[in-house]
Amino acid sequence: MPSPSLDNRSFSSVLDSPQLDLSVVVPIYNEAESIEPLVQAIADAVVETNLRYEIICVDDGSKDGSTDVLTQLAGRRTDLKAVILRRNYGQTPAMAAGFESATGKVIVTLDGDLQNDPADIPMLLEKLNEGYDLVSGWRMKRQDAALTRLLPSKIANVIIAKVTGVKLHDYGCSLKAYRSELIADMNLYGELHRFLPALAYIEGARISEVPVRHHARRFGQSKYGLGRTIRVVMDLLTVYFMKKFLTRPMHVFGLGGVIALVTGIAMGTYLTIVKLYFNQNIGDRPLLILAVLLIITGVNLFCFGLVTELLMRTYHESQRRPIYRIRDVFGKK
């Protein structure tokens, strides 16, 4: 495969800038046996591209000796940086730590279990160089258990694509390539690493997908199971809210509050007329309780909308975070 060409907008030459061309970020959790062959495979794949690169392995509180393997390997290799976290925080914080340490103009992520193939990295870079901001891998032939991994993943991918509007076949593939300026615009919390393409889409990124290889696990056991389903659903709701209402939360809370308030007042008015003009007893009617509940709920939702609106304004203004993203400017400077 030919070496990826670097366009002028995204990559300057080594002589023009001390910044590296590529950072490869790998979260590590209890993968002692995989680390050394993985780092060597990444180096073998990247060195053919003639890019200045670094490999950043983030140890996420491993208990199996991965920390010792990483520190010893980093002492022998000049292309490896080992970031050791104080405890196990989870994959999203580990990736965020890797992003924070990365100095490359392009950042590639992949898992530390040797199931992603580092030989696919040049292909991702080629696709990225076609003008995309994020290129995601698609494990067309996954080597995982059908019932506990493949089926839930397929269902999740369909739901996530529908909710977020980003049509990808494989959200769970960690093998992705990003432009560093895109990463700088995204903040990771919770377990949002699964939804990086959706977060990138919110920032206006151009996204593509390429088929990549996938290998059966050689060492250890998978860290994922069916228990993550609930967390995925919760994170999906978070991403959906960020996509729709991040800069206008009053539109969701205020609208719900107005609907509940108007409905409650209408029910209360009806009950008042029934009581005053028809002299009927309304004290034992469930409709009275519902009317009071709707009025209280409507007021609370409306007030909550005002509070969230103020919080969003504080969030954007305190961080000087614009509510828009500029891709290019043409014409007079």
Side-chain angles (χ1 to χ4, degrees), residues 243-256:
K243 175 176 179 262
K244 289 288 187 180
F245 307 108
L246 180 62
T247 59
R248 45 192 175 94
M250 191 63 176
H251 287 202
V252 58
F253 295 111
L255 178 61

Side-chain angles (χ1 to χ4, degrees), residues 2-105:
S3 300
S5 59
L6 307 180
D7 62 44
N8 293 330
R9 182 174 69 87
S10 306
F11 304 97
S12 57
S13 68
V14 175
L15 296 177
D16 293 334
S17 171
Q19 185 180 16
L20 297 177
D21 296 311
L22 175 66
S23 295
V24 181
V25 174
V26 187
I28 299 291
Y29 181 63
N30 293 342
E31 300 288 358
E33 296 172 293
S34 302
I35 293 173
E36 192 159 358
L38 175 63
V39 170
Q40 187 59 52
I42 294 172
D44 291 342
V46 175
V47 73
E48 298 179 0
T49 65
N50 295 321
L51 301 179
R52 294 184 58 191
Y53 73 95
E54 63 180 351
I55 303 171
I56 302 174
C57 290
V58 182
D59 179 66
D60 187 26
S62 297
K63 306 293 186 182
D64 69 337
S66 294
T67 305
D68 294 334
V69 174
L70 271 177
T71 53
Q72 293 172 13
L73 196 59
R76 301 197 305 265
R77 302 188 63 109
T78 59
D79 57 354
L80 175 63
K81 180 190 297 183
V83 178
I84 312 299
L85 302 187
R86 292 185 176 182
R87 63 173 177 85
N88 178 240
Y89 291 91
Q91 189 168 356
T92 298
M95 290 184 68
F99 291 158
E100 184 69 22
S101 300
T103 59
K105 299 168 189 174

Side-chain angles (χ1 to χ4, degrees), residues 142-207:
R142 287 187 60 177
Q143 305 298 315
D144 288 320
L147 184 60
T148 58
R149 297 293 301 277
L150 294 182
L151 181 60
S153 179
K154 288 181 179 296
I155 296 174
N157 287 327
V158 172
I159 295 175
I160 294 171
K162 185 70 175 178
V163 172
T164 63
V166 183
K167 307 300 182 184
L168 295 179
H169 294 88
D170 190 359
Y171 266 85
C173 183
S174 295
L175 184 55
K176 293 181 174 69
Y178 313 80
R179 296 187 185 274
S180 59
E181 59 266 28
L182 175 63
I183 293 295
D185 289 334
M186 297 190 296
N187 294 319
L188 295 182
Y189 304 98
E191 297 191 18
L192 292 179
H193 66 275
R194 302 180 185 92
F195 301 99
L196 278 169
L199 296 177
Y201 179 75
I202 293 173
E203 299 294 340
R206 292 171 292 196
I207 301 171

Side-chain angles (χ1 to χ4, degrees), residues 52 69 85 97 104 124 177 197 207 233 240 256 269 275 296 317 332:
R52 294 184 58 191
V69 174
L85 302 187
L124 267 68
I207 301 171
V233 173
Y240 179 76
T269 302
K275 177 65 177 178
I296 295 174
E317 293 174 7
K332 294 184 178 179

Side-chain angles (χ1 to χ4, degrees), residues 154-317:
K154 288 181 179 296
I155 296 174
N157 287 327
V158 172
I159 295 175
I160 294 171
K162 185 70 175 178
V163 172
T164 63
V166 183
K167 307 300 182 184
L168 295 179
H169 294 88
D170 190 359
Y171 266 85
C173 183
S174 295
L175 184 55
K176 293 181 174 69
Y178 313 80
R179 296 187 185 274
S180 59
E181 59 266 28
L182 175 63
I183 293 295
D185 289 334
M186 297 190 296
N187 294 319
L188 295 182
Y189 304 98
E191 297 191 18
L192 292 179
H193 66 275
R194 302 180 185 92
F195 301 99
L196 278 169
L199 296 177
Y201 179 75
I202 293 173
E203 299 294 340
R206 292 171 292 196
I207 301 171
S208 185
E209 187 178 40
V210 294
V212 296
R213 285 164 285 196
H214 191 247
H215 304 294
R217 174 178 275 273
R218 291 168 54 186
F219 307 107
Q221 296 179 344
S222 173
K223 314 301 187 300
Y224 302 103
L226 292 175
R228 65 175 177 164
T229 304
I230 299 299
R231 298 195 296 271
V232 171
V233 173
M234 296 298 102
D235 289 336
L236 180 58
L237 293 176
T238 301
V239 171
Y240 179 76
F241 179 84
M242 293 174 64
K243 175 176 179 262
K244 289 288 187 180
F245 307 108
L246 180 62
T247 59
R248 45 192 175 94
M250 191 63 176
H251 287 202
V252 58
F253 295 111
L255 178 61
V258 168
I259 292 175
L261 188 60
V262 170
T263 304
I265 291 175
M267 290 181 179
T269 302
Y270 165 74
L271 292 173
T272 301
I273 293 174
V274 168
K275 177 65 177 178
L276 295 180
Y277 291 95
F278 297 94
N279 198 28
Q280 295 182 13
N281 183 26
I282 62 172
D284 57 352
R285 294 192 180 190
L287 192 63
L288 177 61
I289 299 176
L290 180 60
V292 174
L293 181 62
L294 285 173
I295 291 174
I296 295 174
T297 300
V299 172
N300 285 337
L301 282 175
F302 192 80
C303 292
F304 193 67
L306 289 176
V307 171
T308 52
E309 191 75 28
L310 291 175
L311 287 174
M312 286 300 101
R313 290 176 182 271
T314 302
Y315 167 72
H316 285 283
E317 293 174 7

